[in-house]
Amino acid sequence: MTLRQYSTKIVLLFALTAPSAWLLASGDNVSQHSAREQKSSSEELVLRSIMRELDENMREVVEAISRENWERVAEIAPLIADHPEPPFAEKTRILRFVGTDAARFRGYDRQVHEAARDMGEKARQADGQAVIEAFSRVQNHCLACHQEFKEGFRAHFYGK
């Protein structure tokens, strides 16, 4: 692959990483939550800091890909695949909020996990094209989740 082809793909990959900073989840059952939960909803969730960390990791992958630093991609991939989870009580609040959409919400996370694992494996093989394809799958799963859940999640947990 020529440098020009890589450059075009890197610009596209960088443009795709912007949505990964968004933290998402939603549901139709906003009015079903207790007053106590509504009061605590203005507090920042641990999940938001996890998403910020994932955003930084995704940006580092873009930089490593642009430098063809497959070793670095292989180091970062598990940080994405095996990212921390929110504390149990917070996870319960989130899953209760997403309600019947919990399987889809978890499915996106599973797909990100699998694609990030694949990205790390391809990076260990120094297969640049396959790394970029796996990164694209990671980003597409992130974007799909964000597009489906972001607005409702932010409205419920942050009043935005």
Side-chain angles (χ1 to χ4, degrees):
M1 180 171 278
T2 68
L3 181 58
R4 174 176 238 151
Q5 290 170 318
Y6 265 123
S7 297
T8 301
K9 288 186 179 199
I10 296 308
V11 169
L12 176 61
L13 290 173
F14 185 73
L16 290 173
T17 60
S20 65
W22 300 328
L23 177 60
L24 317 173
S26 96
D28 297 328
N29 54 358
V30 173
S31 62
Q32 297 174 5
H33 297 285
S34 69
R36 187 174 120 213
E37 184 168 300
Q38 290 299 323
K39 180 183 174 218
S40 67
S41 68
S42 63
E43 299 170 14
E44 187 165 299
L45 299 176
V46 172
L47 185 56
R48 185 173 258 186
S49 66
I50 293 168
M51 287 292 172
R52 285 182 183 137
E53 187 176 322
L54 284 167
D55 178 58
E56 182 59 34
N57 291 334
M58 294 294 282
R59 291 171 189 274
E60 286 184 40
V61 168
V62 170
E63 182 177 334
I65 289 172
S66 72
R67 299 182 191 299
E68 297 180 48
N69 185 344
W70 311 126
E71 221 175 90
R72 183 68 181 133
V73 174
E75 290 172 5
I76 301 167
L79 300 176
I80 297 167
D82 302 320
H83 62 80
E85 293 187 8
F88 180 76
E90 182 175 308
K91 191 186 308 186
T92 301
R93 284 177 60 207
I94 292 167
L95 291 176
R96 187 174 42 204
F97 175 70
V98 297
T100 59
D101 293 329
R104 276 203 322 275
F105 186 74
R106 287 181 172 181
Y108 288 128
D109 187 57
R110 181 186 43 75
Q111 291 169 322
V112 167
H113 170 83
E114 291 169 2
R117 286 261 180 217
D118 187 42
M119 180 175 64
E121 179 62 31
K122 300 307 182 190
R124 284 186 287 284
Q125 297 169 8
D127 184 345
Q129 184 64 44
V131 168
I132 290 171
E133 290 168 5
F135 178 82
S136 177
R137 287 195 321 274
V138 171
Q139 192 61 62
N140 283 325
H141 296 312
C142 291
L143 181 62
C145 184
H146 296 177
Q147 288 180 333
E148 184 171 347
F149 293 107
K150 177 184 178 183
E151 188 177 318
F153 187 96
R154 291 183 72 198
H156 177 75
F157 288 104
Y158 297 107
K160 296 179 182 180

